[in-house]
């Protein structure tokens, strides 16, 4: 009977301990489970809302990546919060994660800078695929915007890979983002040539080219009395797509017209005098 009583008393103690544990931890477990379920539901909503807001301003190729990044970050914070509610010490865990993150950040400092630059480029869109840009010491057409790099193709069909950190932190020229551009020329004539006739020729060339816009009107002015020439500045506004065609064709048209009208185009000359020493 004593053995039986002792066993019964021990069993009661075990049951009492289990009951106490249930009363202590069951509410925490239920609250943590409820927090986890509601938190995951809210995270899905936040991710969808974030992607919806960025749909019109962020490149589609970045949608899934940003969605995954936001989702993983929020779920990590949620798991830490749930563990803390249950009673699990998270201080050491957070310290380890912080140290690991610092080490990884220092090791990948350049890559992280390029990543941040890529995100900024895709969000603020200083240029897009197909734009002609000058940046990082290079000029080329944007073929692809990646997370870490931007790929350009030059006029002679070379591929240039520029880190996004360089493009986002340095000055950049987007050549064809505007619908119109101004083409600037300087044409020199001799001091003995007719100024009025020259202006009429240049005006006729501009008027006869249908690609030259009427508004703003072409500007043709005598801009400089140089050492060996009288220089005219010609400024023509054209659609961006017509820039190089007008640039090259106008040079050719001016040379042909000047030759036909007897207008000289001065070029550098040097007289050499030779003296024979006896």
């Amino acid at each position: 009977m004593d053995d039986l009583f002792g066993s019964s008393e021990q069993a009661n103690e075990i049951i009492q301990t289990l009951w106490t544990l249930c009363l202590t931890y069951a509410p925490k477990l239920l609250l943590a489970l409820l927090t986890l379920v509601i938190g995951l539901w809210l995270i899905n909503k936040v991710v969808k809302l974030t992607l919806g807001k960025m749909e019109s301003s962020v490149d589609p190729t970045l949608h899934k990546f940003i969605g995954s990044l936001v989702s993983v970050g929020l779920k990590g914070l949620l798991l830490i919060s749930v563990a803390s509610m249950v009673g699990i010490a998270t201080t050491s865990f957070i310290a380890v994660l912080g140290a690991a993150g610092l080490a990884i950040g220092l090791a990948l400092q350049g890559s992280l800078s390029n990543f941040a630059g890529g995100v900024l480029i895709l969000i603020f869109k200083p240029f897009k695929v197909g734009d002609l840009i000058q940046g990082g010491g290079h000029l080329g057409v944007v073929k692809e915007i990646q997370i870490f790099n931007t790929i350009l193709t030059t006029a002679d069909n070379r591929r240039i890979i520029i880190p996004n950190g360089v493009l986002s932190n340095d000055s950049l020229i987007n050549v064809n983002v505007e619908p119109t551009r101004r083409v600037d020329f300087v044409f020199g004539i001799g001091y003995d040539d007719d100024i009025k006739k020259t202006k009429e020729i240049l005006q006729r060339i501009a008027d006869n080219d249908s690609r030259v816009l009427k508004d703003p009107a072409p500007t043709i002015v005598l801009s400089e009395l140089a050492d060996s020439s009288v220089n005219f500045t010609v400024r023509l506004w054209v659609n961006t797509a017509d820039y190089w065609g007008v640039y090259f064709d106008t040079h050719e048209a001016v040379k042909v017209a000047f030759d036909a009208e007897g207008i000289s185009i001065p070029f550098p000359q040097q007289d050499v005098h030779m003296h024979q020493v006896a």
Side-chain angles (χ1 to χ4, degrees):
M1 291 292 294
D2 291 340
D3 292 339
L4 182 61
F5 181 78
S7 298
S8 177
E9 183 175 321
Q10 188 176 16
N12 288 334
E13 290 179 358
I14 293 173
I15 294 173
Q16 185 65 32
T17 302
L18 291 174
W19 179 251
T20 302
L21 291 173
C22 289
L23 291 178
T24 302
Y25 290 102
K28 294 182 179 180
L29 288 173
L30 290 175
L31 182 59
L33 182 61
L34 183 62
T35 301
L36 181 62
V37 173
I38 295 177
L40 291 175
W41 179 80
L42 288 175
I43 288 173
N44 290 332
K45 292 294 184 181
V46 169
V47 171
K48 290 181 179 179
L49 181 62
T50 302
L51 294 180
K53 292 292 185 180
M54 294 188 300
E55 186 175 0
S56 59
S57 59
V58 178
D59 194 280
T61 57
L62 199 59
H63 279 184
K64 291 184 179 180
F65 178 80
I66 292 181
S68 299
L69 192 64
V70 172
S71 179
V72 170
L74 292 178
K75 287 178 180 178
L77 293 176
L78 177 62
L79 290 177
I80 293 175
S81 301
V82 169
S84 178
M85 293 174 63
V86 175
I88 299 175
T90 58
T91 305
S92 300
F93 181 68
I94 294 175
V96 171
L97 287 179
L102 179 61
I104 293 173
L106 291 175
L108 301 176
Q109 185 175 4
S111 297
L112 291 176
S113 174
N114 292 331
F115 166 77
V119 173
L120 292 175
I121 289 172
L122 290 169
I123 291 176
F124 295 106
K125 294 183 177 180
F127 57 85
K128 63 182 184 300
V129 173
D131 284 350
L132 177 64
I133 67 170
Q134 182 176 346
H138 301 282
L139 175 68
V141 177
V142 179
K143 289 299 180 182
E144 188 175 352
I145 304 174
Q146 300 178 344
I147 295 298
F148 296 101
N149 305 297
T150 293
I151 299 176
L152 307 182
T153 300
T154 62
D156 55 352
N157 206 31
R158 291 180 296 165
R159 173 173 292 188
I160 301 176
I161 300 175
I162 304 178
N164 288 330
V166 174
L167 293 178
S168 63
N169 293 315
D170 200 358
S171 59
L172 183 144
I173 300 175
N174 193 326
V175 177
N176 60 354
V177 67
E178 299 295 338
T180 60
R181 289 184 63 188
R182 193 183 72 188
V183 192
D184 294 345
F185 305 91
V186 176
F187 299 110
I189 64 172
Y191 271 89
D192 294 332
D193 293 314
D194 191 327
I195 294 177
K196 182 178 179 181
K197 183 179 181 181
T198 301
K199 291 187 70 172
E200 291 174 352
I201 293 172
L202 295 174
Q203 185 67 55
R204 184 172 70 246
I205 292 173
D207 292 340
N208 290 341
D209 194 333
S210 61
R211 296 167 297 181
V212 176
L213 302 178
K214 304 303 181 184
D215 186 18
T219 300
I220 301 172
V221 295
L222 194 159
S223 57
E224 184 183 13
L225 299 177
D227 292 339
S228 58
S229 65
V230 177
N231 293 336
F232 284 85
T233 294
V234 179
R235 295 173 177 173
L236 308 177
W237 284 92
V238 299
N239 292 321
T240 299
D242 295 328
Y243 180 91
W244 288 111
V246 171
Y247 180 84
F248 293 126
D249 292 345
T250 301
H251 276 100
E252 180 179 348
V254 168
K255 179 62 169 68
V256 171
F258 279 9
D259 289 346
E261 298 288 343
I263 303 295
S264 64
I265 301 178
F267 54 89
Q269 301 183 54
Q270 185 175 18
D271 293 332
V272 179
H273 301 275
M274 301 181 67
H275 299 277
Q276 186 175 3
V277 179

